[in-house]
Amino acid sequence: MESYAVLWSEPSEPVEAGKLELDPSGLRFEGSSGSRRALHVHRVSYEEIEAVHVGRGGPERLGGRPALVLDLFAGGPLRIGSIAGGGLLNELAERLGAFRAAGVAV
């Protein structure tokens, strides 16, 4: 299982920092925001993802940088930002595209 250092944000929630893991059934986020003391785990199955794009404009950016935006069927967009650098967004977009090509609904 691959792991990436990321920031992520769900609508109306604070930005969280931690790791993202890609597993056969979906994405697993693990981390915490500055206001949370306990570990927070959030899962998103590939079937929940309607579309994927890189958000470069104002509200889609995360921490002032472009973000990978997952448009979910329910719950609004989920933004993912890189802690390590911009190349991660392209790598994640390619990986999600590979899951789509393999027959997973992304």
Side-chain angles (χ1 to χ4, degrees):
M1 183 176 330
E2 294 186 55
S3 178
Y4 304 91
V6 298
L7 301 171
W8 73 91
S9 177
E10 301 171 73
S12 304
E13 295 291 330
V15 174
E16 301 209 35
K19 70 178 177 178
L20 164 64
E21 295 177 338
L22 302 178
D23 66 34
S25 63
L27 308 172
R28 181 182 183 275
F29 297 89
E30 180 181 304
S32 63
S33 67
S35 63
R36 289 189 184 177
R37 296 183 188 256
L39 182 67
H40 177 238
V41 175
H42 179 67
R43 295 179 187 274
V44 176
S45 72
Y46 296 120
E47 289 80 19
E48 294 177 66
I49 303 170
E50 182 175 9
V52 177
H53 69 276
V54 176
R56 301 186 194 288
E60 291 186 322
R61 295 174 76 85
L62 192 58
R65 297 181 179 176
L68 187 64
V69 180
L70 307 181
D71 293 317
L72 305 178
F73 285 108
L78 175 83
R79 298 177 297 150
I80 303 170
S82 173
I83 291 176
L88 172 67
L89 300 182
N90 292 330
E91 182 178 340
L92 284 174
E94 287 177 18
R95 295 294 310 267
L96 291 172
F99 283 113
R100 179 184 298 152
V104 177
V106 174

